[in-house]
Amino acid sequence: MANSFRLPQWFSSLASSLASSLGSSQTQPHPSQSPRLLPNRLPRKFLALGAALAVAAVALHLRPALAAPASGDPVWVGVSGPVTGQNAQYGLQWKRGFDLALDDINGDGGIKGHPLSLDFQDSQSDPRQAVAIAQKFVGDPRILVELGDFSSPASMAASPIYQRGKLIQFGFTNSHPDFTKGGDYMWSTSISQAEEQPLLADFVVRQLGLKRVAVLYLNTDWGRTSKDLFTKAAEQYGAKVVAAEGYQPDEKDYRSTLVRVRDAKPDSLVLISYAPDGAQIVRQARQAGVTLPTIGASSLYSPKFLELGGAAAEGVHLDSNFFPNDPRPEVQRFVTRYRAKYQQEPDAFAARAYDALLVTATVLREFGASREAARKGFAQVKDAPSIVFGKVAFDPQTRRVAQAKNVHLIVRQGQFVVWQGDAPKVAAK
């Protein structure tokens, strides 16, 4: 983004009124002049008001200066993700994050005066459909960067096509450790499961003090890899994984699995799940009398988990890379706008989508609007704006953002709140 700021119309109008009130005979200083050269006859009330307005301008994280709204032929970015199907709620969160980012980017002049536009194709996060979309995007010279797919298995199935077609595949939610190993056109701002699962294990074992852990995991490549990484880290920290049960993506009845988990006599239940299946698991667990302290991977962090889990979600612990109560001004600006537009809290997937488009726009602006320029740009970009990480630069070897961090959360009174260090409790039936 540019370093200067464009003042909004209300600010400019007010400034003009203040200048008029001081009298037409006063000479206005150039903005580059030292504060010592400002007229010393300014009344204190105007100085105070001016200072307050300046602070407000910065706090609002105003857009770059002198950039007219974008016009002309669009610059296209392709998106492969779930609009329908089991994971459609994640595609909806993506779209909302994208829309807010497009408002910012195109309000700031787009990509060198051209509006940024998205071609959002529905993959249902199915590997076969992701492959077909990859073929379409690679064959369309308008598409300069591709975002997605939602799940690592879908993205990784399509990666060879993007690599051969020399089109950046920006898998911003792809945490599988092998995703970026598919070639030098695969990049991600998602924390690798090789980093995230040890963080989750640390939370479960070292911070919550749980020692006999049962793991329920989505039986996909992502879920199995995450389970293996979690198990290895938990055992290194001194815990024992007494049960590990996989389930299919379309599974709806978890009762027999939960009986096997209960019979292993664990002291906790860890869910490597997405929000819809995780919510159904906790509901059926409580109905079956399984009231173990429950901890979820960051993929549970979604309003959908609260909605579908209902009272059974109460007391569930989880990690997240993003939390809307983060006090940083850029986070609060995003959250405020999201709430105003959609009347709900943004989740991590909306924030990641917003971030992904800001990073992409930064690359295309700074390095050029072509596929080859984008490839070079992802390797070289520094300090791209991010509400999750603050600033983004990629490790050129791993092609991932390096700043791994998590926020520890708990569900209380139907809301996600920051965990304050209290001991885990048995859930209510």
Side-chain angles (χ1 to χ4, degrees), residues 300-307 309-318 323-325 339 343-346 408-419:
L300 284 193
Y301 178 59
S302 169
K304 209 69 177 176
F305 179 70
L306 300 177
E307 175 190 334
E314 192 72 12
V316 171
H317 294 79
L318 66 157
F323 188 54
N325 288 343
R339 286 172 178 159
Q343 288 76 56
Q344 66 174 209
E345 292 285 302
H408 300 319
L409 305 177
I410 187 171
V411 179
R412 286 220 171 99
Q413 298 180 347
Q415 300 293 325
F416 296 112
V417 299
V418 174
W419 175 65

PDB file of all heavy atoms in Angstrom, residues 300-307 309-318 323-325 339 343-346 408-419:
ATOM      1  N   LEU A 300     -12.255 -25.430  13.702  1.00  0.00           N
ATOM      2  CA  LEU A 300     -13.567 -25.312  14.344  1.00  0.00           C
ATOM      3  C   LEU A 300     -14.004 -23.862  14.507  1.00  0.00           C
ATOM      4  O   LEU A 300     -15.189 -23.604  14.717  1.00  0.00           O
ATOM      5  CB  LEU A 300     -13.549 -25.955  15.736  1.00  0.00           C
ATOM      6  CG  LEU A 300     -13.594 -27.461  15.874  1.00  0.00           C
ATOM      7  CD1 LEU A 300     -13.880 -27.828  17.322  1.00  0.00           C
ATOM      8  CD2 LEU A 300     -14.618 -28.090  14.959  1.00  0.00           C
ATOM      9  N   TYR A 301     -13.055 -22.942  14.431  1.00  0.00           N
ATOM     10  CA  TYR A 301     -13.392 -21.553  14.740  1.00  0.00           C
ATOM     11  C   TYR A 301     -14.216 -20.940  13.607  1.00  0.00           C
ATOM     12  O   TYR A 301     -13.698 -20.496  12.596  1.00  0.00           O
ATOM     13  CB  TYR A 301     -12.127 -20.729  14.993  1.00  0.00           C
ATOM     14  CG  TYR A 301     -12.442 -19.279  15.273  1.00  0.00           C
ATOM     15  CD1 TYR A 301     -13.249 -18.932  16.342  1.00  0.00           C
ATOM     16  CD2 TYR A 301     -11.973 -18.263  14.449  1.00  0.00           C
ATOM     17  CE1 TYR A 301     -13.570 -17.616  16.593  1.00  0.00           C
ATOM     18  CE2 TYR A 301     -12.288 -16.938  14.695  1.00  0.00           C
ATOM     19  CZ  TYR A 301     -13.087 -16.627  15.766  1.00  0.00           C
ATOM     20  OH  TYR A 301     -13.424 -15.316  16.010  1.00  0.00           O
ATOM     21  N   SER A 302     -15.521 -20.968  13.804  1.00  0.00           N
ATOM     22  CA  SER A 302     -16.467 -20.450  12.822  1.00  0.00           C
ATOM     23  C   SER A 302     -17.798 -20.205  13.529  1.00  0.00           C
ATOM     24  O   SER A 302     -18.168 -20.971  14.436  1.00  0.00           O
ATOM     25  CB  SER A 302     -16.668 -21.454  11.682  1.00  0.00           C
ATOM     26  OG  SER A 302     -17.751 -21.070  10.865  1.00  0.00           O
ATOM     27  N   PRO A 303     -18.554 -19.177  13.154  1.00  0.00           N
ATOM     28  CA  PRO A 303     -19.899 -18.995  13.718  1.00  0.00           C
ATOM     29  C   PRO A 303     -20.767 -20.228  13.523  1.00  0.00           C
ATOM     30  O   PRO A 303     -21.691 -20.478  14.301  1.00  0.00           O
ATOM     31  CB  PRO A 303     -20.449 -17.791  12.939  1.00  0.00           C
ATOM     32  CG  PRO A 303     -19.250 -17.046  12.469  1.00  0.00           C
ATOM     33  CD  PRO A 303     -18.200 -18.091  12.215  1.00  0.00           C
ATOM     34  N   LYS A 304     -20.469 -21.009  12.475  1.00  0.00           N
ATOM     35  CA  LYS A 304     -21.263 -22.214  12.205  1.00  0.00           C
ATOM     36  C   LYS A 304     -21.127 -23.224  13.328  1.00  0.00           C
ATOM     37  O   LYS A 304     -22.077 -23.959  13.648  1.00  0.00           O
ATOM     38  CB  LYS A 304     -20.806 -22.839  10.890  1.00  0.00           C
ATOM     39  CG  LYS A 304     -21.888 -23.607  10.161  1.00  0.00           C
ATOM     40  CD  LYS A 304     -22.951 -22.660   9.637  1.00  0.00           C
ATOM     41  CE  LYS A 304     -24.009 -23.401   8.830  1.00  0.00           C
ATOM     42  NZ  LYS A 304     -25.081 -22.469   8.408  1.00  0.00           N
ATOM     43  N   PHE A 305     -19.965 -23.305  13.977  1.00  0.00           N
ATOM     44  CA  PHE A 305     -19.783 -24.239  15.083  1.00  0.00           C
ATOM     45  C   PHE A 305     -20.702 -23.858  16.245  1.00  0.00           C
ATOM     46  O   PHE A 305     -21.335 -24.724  16.850  1.00  0.00           O
ATOM     47  CB  PHE A 305     -18.328 -24.246  15.544  1.00  0.00           C
ATOM     48  CG  PHE A 305     -18.065 -25.169  16.700  1.00  0.00           C
ATOM     49  CD1 PHE A 305     -18.108 -26.541  16.535  1.00  0.00           C
ATOM     50  CD2 PHE A 305     -17.785 -24.666  17.957  1.00  0.00           C
ATOM     51  CE1 PHE A 305     -17.876 -27.400  17.594  1.00  0.00           C
ATOM     52  CE2 PHE A 305     -17.553 -25.507  19.027  1.00  0.00           C
ATOM     53  CZ  PHE A 305     -17.594 -26.884  18.850  1.00  0.00           C
ATOM     54  N   LEU A 306     -20.804 -22.575  16.542  1.00  0.00           N
ATOM     55  CA  LEU A 306     -21.696 -22.122  17.607  1.00  0.00           C
ATOM     56  C   LEU A 306     -23.156 -22.368  17.237  1.00  0.00           C
ATOM     57  O   LEU A 306     -23.960 -22.816  18.065  1.00  0.00           O
ATOM     58  CB  LEU A 306     -21.477 -20.633  17.874  1.00  0.00           C
ATOM     59  CG  LEU A 306     -20.069 -20.225  18.317  1.00  0.00           C
ATOM     60  CD1 LEU A 306     -19.996 -18.714  18.480  1.00  0.00           C
ATOM     61  CD2 LEU A 306     -19.676 -20.921  19.612  1.00  0.00           C
ATOM     62  N   GLU A 307     -23.485 -22.069  15.990  1.00  0.00           N
ATOM     63  CA  GLU A 307     -24.875 -22.223  15.539  1.00  0.00           C
ATOM     64  C   GLU A 307     -25.319 -23.679  15.576  1.00  0.00           C
ATOM     65  O   GLU A 307     -26.391 -24.004  16.107  1.00  0.00           O
ATOM     66  CB  GLU A 307     -24.998 -21.670  14.117  1.00  0.00           C
ATOM     67  CG  GLU A 307     -26.359 -21.869  13.480  1.00  0.00           C
ATOM     68  CD  GLU A 307     -26.355 -21.525  12.004  1.00  0.00           C
ATOM     69  OE1 GLU A 307     -25.525 -20.703  11.575  1.00  0.00           O
ATOM     70  OE2 GLU A 307     -27.183 -22.099  11.265  1.00  0.00           O
ATOM     71  N   GLY A 309     -23.660 -26.309  17.014  1.00  0.00           N
ATOM     72  CA  GLY A 309     -23.366 -27.000  18.265  1.00  0.00           C
ATOM     73  C   GLY A 309     -24.314 -26.648  19.389  1.00  0.00           C
ATOM     74  O   GLY A 309     -24.571 -27.469  20.277  1.00  0.00           O
ATOM     75  N   GLY A 310     -24.843 -25.421  19.365  1.00  0.00           N
ATOM     76  CA  GLY A 310     -25.773 -24.999  20.411  1.00  0.00           C
ATOM     77  C   GLY A 310     -25.174 -25.138  21.791  1.00  0.00           C
ATOM     78  O   GLY A 310     -23.990 -24.865  22.020  1.00  0.00           O
ATOM     79  N   ALA A 311     -25.994 -25.605  22.736  1.00  0.00           N
ATOM     80  CA  ALA A 311     -25.539 -25.724  24.124  1.00  0.00           C
ATOM     81  C   ALA A 311     -24.399 -26.721  24.268  1.00  0.00           C
ATOM     82  O   ALA A 311     -23.577 -26.609  25.188  1.00  0.00           O
ATOM     83  CB  ALA A 311     -26.710 -26.132  25.018  1.00  0.00           C
ATOM     84  N   ALA A 312     -24.307 -27.690  23.356  1.00  0.00           N
ATOM     85  CA  ALA A 312     -23.246 -28.701  23.457  1.00  0.00           C
ATOM     86  C   ALA A 312     -21.869 -28.118  23.196  1.00  0.00           C
ATOM     87  O   ALA A 312     -20.864 -28.701  23.591  1.00  0.00           O
ATOM     88  CB  ALA A 312     -23.525 -29.839  22.476  1.00  0.00           C
ATOM     89  N   ALA A 313     -21.802 -26.960  22.528  1.00  0.00           N
ATOM     90  CA  ALA A 313     -20.509 -26.328  22.262  1.00  0.00           C
ATOM     91  C   ALA A 313     -19.954 -25.602  23.479  1.00  0.00           C
ATOM     92  O   ALA A 313     -18.768 -25.239  23.491  1.00  0.00           O
ATOM     93  CB  ALA A 313     -20.641 -25.345  21.098  1.00  0.00           C
ATOM     94  N   GLU A 314     -20.787 -25.399  24.489  1.00  0.00           N
ATOM     95  CA  GLU A 314     -20.350 -24.654  25.673  1.00  0.00           C
ATOM     96  C   GLU A 314     -19.153 -25.341  26.323  1.00  0.00           C
ATOM     97  O   GLU A 314     -19.138 -26.553  26.563  1.00  0.00           O
ATOM     98  CB  GLU A 314     -21.500 -24.554  26.676  1.00  0.00           C
ATOM     99  CG  GLU A 314     -21.263 -23.570  27.795  1.00  0.00           C
ATOM    100  CD  GLU A 314     -21.326 -22.114  27.339  1.00  0.00           C
ATOM    101  OE1 GLU A 314     -21.778 -21.843  26.211  1.00  0.00           O
ATOM    102  OE2 GLU A 314     -20.931 -21.248  28.131  1.00  0.00           O
ATOM    103  N   GLY A 315     -18.108 -24.549  26.600  1.00  0.00           N
ATOM    104  CA  GLY A 315     -16.928 -25.060  27.267  1.00  0.00           C
ATOM    105  C   GLY A 315     -15.887 -25.676  26.352  1.00  0.00           C
ATOM    106  O   GLY A 315     -14.823 -26.085  26.830  1.00  0.00           O
ATOM    107  N   VAL A 316     -16.164 -25.767  25.059  1.00  0.00           N
ATOM    108  CA  VAL A 316     -15.185 -26.329  24.134  1.00  0.00           C
ATOM    109  C   VAL A 316     -14.015 -25.355  23.985  1.00  0.00           C
ATOM    110  O   VAL A 316     -14.202 -24.159  23.777  1.00  0.00           O
ATOM    111  CB  VAL A 316     -15.817 -26.627  22.763  1.00  0.00           C
ATOM    112  CG1 VAL A 316     -14.751 -26.999  21.740  1.00  0.00           C
ATOM    113  CG2 VAL A 316     -16.844 -27.754  22.891  1.00  0.00           C
ATOM    114  N   HIS A 317     -12.798 -25.861  24.108  1.00  0.00           N
ATOM    115  CA  HIS A 317     -11.586 -25.076  23.880  1.00  0.00           C
ATOM    116  C   HIS A 317     -11.166 -25.217  22.421  1.00  0.00           C
ATOM    117  O   HIS A 317     -11.401 -26.262  21.804  1.00  0.00           O
ATOM    118  CB  HIS A 317     -10.421 -25.583  24.752  1.00  0.00           C
ATOM    119  CG  HIS A 317     -10.624 -25.400  26.217  1.00  0.00           C
ATOM    120  ND1 HIS A 317     -11.401 -26.244  26.967  1.00  0.00           N
ATOM    121  CD2 HIS A 317     -10.122 -24.480  27.075  1.00  0.00           C
ATOM    122  CE1 HIS A 317     -11.377 -25.845  28.238  1.00  0.00           C
ATOM    123  NE2 HIS A 317     -10.606 -24.784  28.331  1.00  0.00           N
ATOM    124  N   LEU A 318     -10.514 -24.216  21.902  1.00  0.00           N
ATOM    125  CA  LEU A 318      -9.976 -24.306  20.547  1.00  0.00           C
ATOM    126  C   LEU A 318      -8.924 -23.235  20.344  1.00  0.00           C
ATOM    127  O   LEU A 318      -8.817 -22.279  21.121  1.00  0.00           O
ATOM    128  CB  LEU A 318     -11.073 -24.173  19.495  1.00  0.00           C
ATOM    129  CG  LEU A 318     -11.808 -22.835  19.383  1.00  0.00           C
ATOM    130  CD1 LEU A 318     -12.424 -22.694  18.003  1.00  0.00           C
ATOM    131  CD2 LEU A 318     -12.927 -22.747  20.427  1.00  0.00           C
ATOM    132  N   PHE A 323      -8.699 -13.537  15.911  1.00  0.00           N
ATOM    133  CA  PHE A 323      -9.799 -13.335  16.847  1.00  0.00           C
ATOM    134  C   PHE A 323     -10.246 -11.882  16.738  1.00  0.00           C
ATOM    135  O   PHE A 323      -9.421 -10.968  16.792  1.00  0.00           O
ATOM    136  CB  PHE A 323      -9.363 -13.660  18.275  1.00  0.00           C
ATOM    137  CG  PHE A 323     -10.503 -13.668  19.263  1.00  0.00           C
ATOM    138  CD1 PHE A 323     -11.617 -14.454  19.043  1.00  0.00           C
ATOM    139  CD2 PHE A 323     -10.455 -12.883  20.399  1.00  0.00           C
ATOM    140  CE1 PHE A 323     -12.674 -14.465  19.945  1.00  0.00           C
ATOM    141  CE2 PHE A 323     -11.501 -12.904  21.309  1.00  0.00           C
ATOM    142  CZ  PHE A 323     -12.607 -13.690  21.083  1.00  0.00           C
ATOM    143  N   PRO A 324     -11.552 -11.632  16.558  1.00  0.00           N
ATOM    144  CA  PRO A 324     -12.005 -10.266  16.284  1.00  0.00           C
ATOM    145  C   PRO A 324     -11.836  -9.283  17.431  1.00  0.00           C
ATOM    146  O   PRO A 324     -11.963  -8.078  17.206  1.00  0.00           O
ATOM    147  CB  PRO A 324     -13.489 -10.439  15.918  1.00  0.00           C
ATOM    148  CG  PRO A 324     -13.868 -11.765  16.449  1.00  0.00           C
ATOM    149  CD  PRO A 324     -12.650 -12.611  16.415  1.00  0.00           C
ATOM    150  N   ASN A 325     -11.542  -9.744  18.634  1.00  0.00           N
ATOM    151  CA  ASN A 325     -11.303  -8.808  19.736  1.00  0.00           C
ATOM    152  C   ASN A 325      -9.848  -8.363  19.831  1.00  0.00           C
ATOM    153  O   ASN A 325      -9.477  -7.664  20.783  1.00  0.00           O
ATOM    154  CB  ASN A 325     -11.737  -9.427  21.067  1.00  0.00           C
ATOM    155  CG  ASN A 325     -13.247  -9.502  21.195  1.00  0.00           C
ATOM    156  OD1 ASN A 325     -13.973  -8.837  20.457  1.00  0.00           O
ATOM    157  ND2 ASN A 325     -13.731 -10.322  22.100  1.00  0.00           N
ATOM    158  N   ARG A 339     -19.120  -6.380  10.663  1.00  0.00           N
ATOM    159  CA  ARG A 339     -20.348  -6.408  11.464  1.00  0.00           C
ATOM    160  C   ARG A 339     -21.430  -5.540  10.836  1.00  0.00           C
ATOM    161  O   ARG A 339     -22.610  -5.917  10.782  1.00  0.00           O
ATOM    162  CB  ARG A 339     -20.055  -5.916  12.879  1.00  0.00           C
ATOM    163  CG  ARG A 339     -19.289  -6.886  13.759  1.00  0.00           C
ATOM    164  CD  ARG A 339     -18.896  -6.205  15.045  1.00  0.00           C
ATOM    165  NE  ARG A 339     -18.189  -7.076  15.974  1.00  0.00           N
ATOM    166  CZ  ARG A 339     -17.415  -6.636  16.948  1.00  0.00           C
ATOM    167  NH1 ARG A 339     -17.232  -5.322  17.122  1.00  0.00           N
ATOM    168  NH2 ARG A 339     -16.818  -7.489  17.766  1.00  0.00           N
ATOM    169  N   GLN A 343     -23.890  -8.163   9.828  1.00  0.00           N
ATOM    170  CA  GLN A 343     -24.578  -8.346  11.106  1.00  0.00           C
ATOM    171  C   GLN A 343     -24.138  -9.612  11.840  1.00  0.00           C
ATOM    172  O   GLN A 343     -24.931 -10.288  12.499  1.00  0.00           O
ATOM    173  CB  GLN A 343     -26.109  -8.373  10.914  1.00  0.00           C
ATOM    174  CG  GLN A 343     -26.717  -7.024  10.585  1.00  0.00           C
ATOM    175  CD  GLN A 343     -26.458  -6.634   9.132  1.00  0.00           C
ATOM    176  OE1 GLN A 343     -26.801  -7.375   8.217  1.00  0.00           O
ATOM    177  NE2 GLN A 343     -25.868  -5.467   8.925  1.00  0.00           N
ATOM    178  N   GLN A 344     -22.871  -9.947  11.736  1.00  0.00           N
ATOM    179  CA  GLN A 344     -22.318 -11.040  12.530  1.00  0.00           C
ATOM    180  C   GLN A 344     -20.811 -10.860  12.637  1.00  0.00           C
ATOM    181  O   GLN A 344     -20.218 -10.007  11.972  1.00  0.00           O
ATOM    182  CB  GLN A 344     -22.653 -12.406  11.939  1.00  0.00           C
ATOM    183  CG  GLN A 344     -22.030 -12.703  10.616  1.00  0.00           C
ATOM    184  CD  GLN A 344     -22.305 -14.141  10.162  1.00  0.00           C
ATOM    185  OE1 GLN A 344     -21.500 -14.719   9.438  1.00  0.00           O
ATOM    186  NE2 GLN A 344     -23.414 -14.720  10.553  1.00  0.00           N
ATOM    187  N   GLU A 345     -20.212 -11.695  13.511  1.00  0.00           N
ATOM    188  CA  GLU A 345     -18.773 -11.630  13.709  1.00  0.00           C
ATOM    189  C   GLU A 345     -18.047 -12.292  12.540  1.00  0.00           C
ATOM    190  O   GLU A 345     -18.479 -13.340  12.057  1.00  0.00           O
ATOM    191  CB  GLU A 345     -18.386 -12.364  14.996  1.00  0.00           C
ATOM    192  CG  GLU A 345     -18.864 -11.700  16.266  1.00  0.00           C
ATOM    193  CD  GLU A 345     -18.041 -10.480  16.605  1.00  0.00           C
ATOM    194  OE1 GLU A 345     -16.818 -10.602  16.767  1.00  0.00           O
ATOM    195  OE2 GLU A 345     -18.633  -9.397  16.692  1.00  0.00           O
ATOM    196  N   PRO A 346     -16.928 -11.733  12.108  1.00  0.00           N
ATOM    197  CA  PRO A 346     -16.122 -12.434  11.114  1.00  0.00           C
ATOM    198  C   PRO A 346     -15.372 -13.592  11.752  1.00  0.00           C
ATOM    199  O   PRO A 346     -14.994 -13.528  12.915  1.00  0.00           O
ATOM    200  CB  PRO A 346     -15.148 -11.358  10.635  1.00  0.00           C
ATOM    201  CG  PRO A 346     -15.001 -10.447  11.816  1.00  0.00           C
ATOM    202  CD  PRO A 346     -16.340 -10.432  12.494  1.00  0.00           C
ATOM    203  N   HIS A 408      -5.684 -18.807  22.173  1.00  0.00           N
ATOM    204  CA  HIS A 408      -6.438 -19.858  22.849  1.00  0.00           C
ATOM    205  C   HIS A 408      -7.820 -19.327  23.216  1.00  0.00           C
ATOM    206  O   HIS A 408      -7.943 -18.317  23.921  1.00  0.00           O
ATOM    207  CB  HIS A 408      -5.713 -20.317  24.117  1.00  0.00           C
ATOM    208  CG  HIS A 408      -4.346 -20.866  23.862  1.00  0.00           C
ATOM    209  ND1 HIS A 408      -4.056 -21.700  22.800  1.00  0.00           N
ATOM    210  CD2 HIS A 408      -3.176 -20.693  24.536  1.00  0.00           C
ATOM    211  CE1 HIS A 408      -2.789 -22.029  22.843  1.00  0.00           C
ATOM    212  NE2 HIS A 408      -2.230 -21.432  23.869  1.00  0.00           N
ATOM    213  N   LEU A 409      -8.868 -20.032  22.764  1.00  0.00           N
ATOM    214  CA  LEU A 409     -10.243 -19.592  22.961  1.00  0.00           C
ATOM    215  C   LEU A 409     -11.041 -20.662  23.704  1.00  0.00           C
ATOM    216  O   LEU A 409     -10.642 -21.813  23.783  1.00  0.00           O
ATOM    217  CB  LEU A 409     -10.911 -19.309  21.612  1.00  0.00           C
ATOM    218  CG  LEU A 409     -10.214 -18.331  20.669  1.00  0.00           C
ATOM    219  CD1 LEU A 409     -10.965 -18.233  19.356  1.00  0.00           C
ATOM    220  CD2 LEU A 409     -10.085 -16.957  21.318  1.00  0.00           C
ATOM    221  N   ILE A 410     -12.200 -20.238  24.211  1.00  0.00           N
ATOM    222  CA  ILE A 410     -13.164 -21.152  24.820  1.00  0.00           C
ATOM    223  C   ILE A 410     -14.553 -20.613  24.509  1.00  0.00           C
ATOM    224  O   ILE A 410     -14.737 -19.394  24.354  1.00  0.00           O
ATOM    225  CB  ILE A 410     -12.930 -21.277  26.349  1.00  0.00           C
ATOM    226  CG1 ILE A 410     -13.825 -22.364  26.949  1.00  0.00           C
ATOM    227  CG2 ILE A 410     -13.127 -19.941  27.059  1.00  0.00           C
ATOM    228  CD1 ILE A 410     -13.497 -22.696  28.408  1.00  0.00           C
ATOM    229  N   VAL A 411     -15.528 -21.524  24.407  1.00  0.00           N
ATOM    230  CA  VAL A 411     -16.913 -21.101  24.175  1.00  0.00           C
ATOM    231  C   VAL A 411     -17.573 -20.869  25.527  1.00  0.00           C
ATOM    232  O   VAL A 411     -17.646 -21.789  26.359  1.00  0.00           O
ATOM    233  CB  VAL A 411     -17.690 -22.156  23.367  1.00  0.00           C
ATOM    234  CG1 VAL A 411     -19.137 -21.693  23.158  1.00  0.00           C
ATOM    235  CG2 VAL A 411     -17.014 -22.410  22.019  1.00  0.00           C
ATOM    236  N   ARG A 412     -18.054 -19.643  25.721  1.00  0.00           N
ATOM    237  CA  ARG A 412     -18.764 -19.298  26.959  1.00  0.00           C
ATOM    238  C   ARG A 412     -20.025 -18.519  26.601  1.00  0.00           C
ATOM    239  O   ARG A 412     -19.967 -17.533  25.856  1.00  0.00           O
ATOM    240  CB  ARG A 412     -17.881 -18.442  27.872  1.00  0.00           C
ATOM    241  CG  ARG A 412     -16.774 -19.243  28.541  1.00  0.00           C
ATOM    242  CD  ARG A 412     -16.578 -18.825  29.984  1.00  0.00           C
ATOM    243  NE  ARG A 412     -15.659 -19.745  30.652  1.00  0.00           N
ATOM    244  CZ  ARG A 412     -14.364 -19.501  30.854  1.00  0.00           C
ATOM    245  NH1 ARG A 412     -13.831 -18.379  30.446  1.00  0.00           N
ATOM    246  NH2 ARG A 412     -13.612 -20.385  31.482  1.00  0.00           N
ATOM    247  N   GLN A 413     -21.158 -18.995  27.130  1.00  0.00           N
ATOM    248  CA  GLN A 413     -22.449 -18.353  26.886  1.00  0.00           C
ATOM    249  C   GLN A 413     -22.694 -18.136  25.392  1.00  0.00           C
ATOM    250  O   GLN A 413     -23.165 -17.092  24.962  1.00  0.00           O
ATOM    251  CB  GLN A 413     -22.550 -17.035  27.665  1.00  0.00           C
ATOM    252  CG  GLN A 413     -22.467 -17.232  29.167  1.00  0.00           C
ATOM    253  CD  GLN A 413     -22.570 -15.933  29.938  1.00  0.00           C
ATOM    254  OE1 GLN A 413     -22.470 -14.845  29.380  1.00  0.00           O
ATOM    255  NE2 GLN A 413     -22.773 -16.033  31.241  1.00  0.00           N
ATOM    256  N   GLY A 414     -22.349 -19.159  24.637  1.00  0.00           N
ATOM    257  CA  GLY A 414     -22.624 -19.134  23.214  1.00  0.00           C
ATOM    258  C   GLY A 414     -21.716 -18.252  22.391  1.00  0.00           C
ATOM    259  O   GLY A 414     -22.012 -17.987  21.213  1.00  0.00           O
ATOM    260  N   GLN A 415     -20.583 -17.823  22.966  1.00  0.00           N
ATOM    261  CA  GLN A 415     -19.657 -16.951  22.249  1.00  0.00           C
ATOM    262  C   GLN A 415     -18.217 -17.458  22.432  1.00  0.00           C
ATOM    263  O   GLN A 415     -17.889 -18.070  23.439  1.00  0.00           O
ATOM    264  CB  GLN A 415     -19.744 -15.509  22.772  1.00  0.00           C
ATOM    265  CG  GLN A 415     -21.110 -14.877  22.636  1.00  0.00           C
ATOM    266  CD  GLN A 415     -21.517 -14.655  21.186  1.00  0.00           C
ATOM    267  OE1 GLN A 415     -20.674 -14.357  20.341  1.00  0.00           O
ATOM    268  NE2 GLN A 415     -22.794 -14.812  20.901  1.00  0.00           N
ATOM    269  N   PHE A 416     -17.383 -17.168  21.428  1.00  0.00           N
ATOM    270  CA  PHE A 416     -15.952 -17.402  21.590  1.00  0.00           C
ATOM    271  C   PHE A 416     -15.354 -16.289  22.435  1.00  0.00           C
ATOM    272  O   PHE A 416     -15.587 -15.101  22.172  1.00  0.00           O
ATOM    273  CB  PHE A 416     -15.250 -17.416  20.228  1.00  0.00           C
ATOM    274  CG  PHE A 416     -15.679 -18.528  19.312  1.00  0.00           C
ATOM    275  CD1 PHE A 416     -16.382 -18.245  18.148  1.00  0.00           C
ATOM    276  CD2 PHE A 416     -15.376 -19.846  19.610  1.00  0.00           C
ATOM    277  CE1 PHE A 416     -16.768 -19.260  17.286  1.00  0.00           C
ATOM    278  CE2 PHE A 416     -15.761 -20.870  18.759  1.00  0.00           C
ATOM    279  CZ  PHE A 416     -16.455 -20.578  17.593  1.00  0.00           C
ATOM    280  N   VAL A 417     -14.584 -16.651  23.449  1.00  0.00           N
ATOM    281  CA  VAL A 417     -13.870 -15.669  24.267  1.00  0.00           C
ATOM    282  C   VAL A 417     -12.447 -16.178  24.482  1.00  0.00           C
ATOM    283  O   VAL A 417     -12.167 -17.374  24.319  1.00  0.00           O
ATOM    284  CB  VAL A 417     -14.555 -15.423  25.629  1.00  0.00           C
ATOM    285  CG1 VAL A 417     -15.967 -14.872  25.448  1.00  0.00           C
ATOM    286  CG2 VAL A 417     -14.592 -16.694  26.474  1.00  0.00           C
ATOM    287  N   VAL A 418     -11.555 -15.286  24.860  1.00  0.00           N
ATOM    288  CA  VAL A 418     -10.178 -15.677  25.123  1.00  0.00           C
ATOM    289  C   VAL A 418     -10.117 -16.515  26.401  1.00  0.00           C
ATOM    290  O   VAL A 418     -10.695 -16.150  27.431  1.00  0.00           O
ATOM    291  CB  VAL A 418      -9.279 -14.431  25.245  1.00  0.00           C
ATOM    292  CG1 VAL A 418      -7.861 -14.825  25.656  1.00  0.00           C
ATOM    293  CG2 VAL A 418      -9.234 -13.667  23.922  1.00  0.00           C
ATOM    294  N   TRP A 419      -9.454 -17.654  26.330  1.00  0.00           N
ATOM    295  CA  TRP A 419      -9.259 -18.506  27.502  1.00  0.00           C
ATOM    296  C   TRP A 419      -8.347 -17.806  28.496  1.00  0.00           C
ATOM    297  O   TRP A 419      -7.287 -17.299  28.143  1.00  0.00           O
ATOM    298  CB  TRP A 419      -8.644 -19.826  27.054  1.00  0.00           C
ATOM    299  CG  TRP A 419      -8.289 -20.761  28.173  1.00  0.00           C
ATOM    300  CD1 TRP A 419      -9.134 -21.369  29.042  1.00  0.00           C
ATOM    301  CD2 TRP A 419      -6.974 -21.215  28.513  1.00  0.00           C
ATOM    302  NE1 TRP A 419      -8.439 -22.179  29.914  1.00  0.00           N
ATOM    303  CE2 TRP A 419      -7.107 -22.101  29.617  1.00  0.00           C
ATOM    304  CE3 TRP A 419      -5.704 -20.973  28.004  1.00  0.00           C
ATOM    305  CZ2 TRP A 419      -6.004 -22.727  30.203  1.00  0.00           C
ATOM    306  CZ3 TRP A 419      -4.612 -21.598  28.585  1.00  0.00           C
ATOM    307  CH2 TRP A 419      -4.771 -22.465  29.669  1.00  0.00           C
TER     308      TRP A 419
END
